[in-house]
Amino acid sequence: MAAPGQHSPATAQTTRFAPSPSGRLHLGHALAAVTAARLAEASGGRFLLRIEDIDSVRCRPEFIDGIFEDLAWLGLRWELPVLLQSTRLAQYREALAGLAERGLAYPCFCTRAEIAAEIAAMPAAPQGPEGPLYPGTCRDLSAGQRQQRRAAGEPHAWRLDASACLAALGGRELWFEETGRGPAGESGHQPVAPLACGDIVLGRRDVGVSYHLAVVLDDHFQGVTLVTRGEDLFAATHVQRLLQAVLGLDAPRYHHHRLLRDASGRRLAKRDHDLQLAELRARGLAPAAVLALAQGG
Ligand code: GLU
């Protein structure tokens, strides 16, 4: 039910909260989770929980239990079964292979150090929202070179060829609908800048998939119609929208919310133990007080 004075969206929305189980949830996660839950509820829709556990080194089963415990304590209810990304690795691999076959993804053999050195040697390295873009070194390898290096067992990631994606769209303009606010107050119809993030990683060399690829496949697979998340992921939405278009997936609407910050203005992170939900609970705070804190900043 919409709260008095609020307009309920015309159609029922499916939202999701998608934490990574690499630590305990903190106050910022409470804001993300309650935003997703409330927007689903206000529209008479569905609220899903997805565990983003593709990183087998950093993610731990006890943190998954911690997520369930913390969210239940907050009074949130989500649909079952909960989707674990670690159960979908075959689907991610298949989608990546399809992109590679179409010439929209390529193997990248560069190490971090090589990329940094190449960028440092450039007079004016192109910048993306999160720093310098990948300089495209491996984009120019021939098919023969790629095959030879892969056959030799050289470790590699897979990258999106953003320009090839743009060409594949044949001039079709992309956009997404922002129902919240981006970091610069963006709202409403957002034209997508397909090249802004450059050739992002689709398949990490360690786990074979990346956040961007898994997220767009799963939002589609789960029928998510409204993606709610922190404004730090606003730039990622541009690249995810491009991926949706080349993969032929549905485009959800987006609702980015502000981030909670600590006293020095840094966004809350898993290192902020005193703002973990388990810690606040141990200090005797009631769920309603924690939700008020999260929503009030
Ligand atoms: N798993 C991501 C995180 O914990 C959220 C991804 C998303 O909402 O798209 O930051």
Side-chain angles (χ1 to χ4, degrees):
M1 286 283 292
Q6 270 184 350
H7 295 290
S8 73
T11 48
Q13 301 294 335
T14 300
T15 68
R16 61 17 173 220
F17 173 54
S20 297
S22 55
R24 291 301 298 251
L25 299 185
H26 57 60
L27 209 51
H29 292 112
L31 175 59
V34 77
T35 301
R38 295 265 155 88
L39 286 171
E41 194 188 9
S43 69
R46 304 163 58 205
F47 170 54
L48 310 178
L49 174 61
R50 180 168 76 226
I51 303 294
E52 302 215 321
D53 59 344
I54 54 172
D55 190 330
S56 48
V57 175
R58 291 175 60 235
C59 296
R60 301 220 300 263
E62 60 267 35
F63 292 137
I64 301 182
D65 293 339
I67 289 168
F68 296 152
E69 190 185 308
D70 291 340
L71 294 180
W73 177 76
L74 283 175
L76 300 182
R77 297 288 172 265
W78 54 93
E79 267 187 30
L80 296 174
V82 170
L83 184 69
L84 268 68
Q85 287 193 324
S86 55
T87 63
R88 302 240 313 138
L89 299 178
Q91 285 83 353
Y92 306 147
R93 268 196 291 272
E94 193 184 325
L96 181 53
L99 289 172
E101 240 163 66
R102 293 163 60 200
L104 303 180
Y106 60 87
C108 172
F109 303 91
C110 299
T111 61
R112 278 174 200 268
E114 285 164 352
I115 296 172
E118 180 134 358
I119 288 168
M122 292 168 84
Q127 298 290 313
E130 265 148 31
L133 298 180
Y134 173 64
T137 324
C138 287
R139 188 173 48 223
D140 301 327
L141 295 178
S142 68
Q145 286 170 317
R146 283 176 186 157
Q147 206 189 355
Q148 199 181 18
R149 293 175 74 166
R150 289 181 67 201
E154 203 176 319
H156 57 278
W158 286 86
R159 287 185 180 272
L160 181 74
D161 188 331
S163 310
C165 290
L166 194 58
L169 290 177
R172 179 177 147 211
E173 297 209 347
L174 296 179
W175 55 275
F176 64 90
E177 191 64 26
E178 172 64 42
T179 69
R181 286 165 70 84
E186 298 93 334
S187 64
H189 186 91
Q190 301 297 310
V192 167
L195 303 179
C197 296
D199 290 355
I200 51 107
V201 170
L202 291 178
R204 286 167 38 175
R205 66 163 70 195
D206 55 352
V207 294
V209 61
S210 75
Y211 155 69
H212 292 296
L213 182 62
V215 139
V216 296
L217 290 170
D218 289 347
D219 284 336
H220 174 82
F221 175 68
Q222 295 190 283
V224 172
T225 59
L226 179 63
V227 171
T228 66
R229 57 189 181 191
E231 65 183 19
D232 54 327
L233 289 169
F234 188 81
T237 301
H238 287 258
V239 78
Q240 291 177 13
R241 185 66 196 88
L242 176 65
L243 258 178
Q244 286 156 356
V246 293
L247 288 167
L249 307 177
D250 300 334
R253 297 200 290 167
Y254 288 85
H255 181 104
H256 293 90
H257 58 76
R258 74 196 160 80
L259 294 178
L260 295 189
R261 300 189 180 276
D262 66 14
S264 64
R266 281 192 319 177
R267 58 175 287 209
L268 298 189
K270 297 203 163 106
R271 61 175 179 270
D272 296 306
H273 294 284
D274 51 339
L275 292 174
Q276 282 177 357
L277 302 181
E279 175 61 27
L280 297 171
R281 177 163 80 233
R283 278 196 256 144
L285 267 81
V290 170
L291 284 176
L293 256 180
Q295 292 175 287

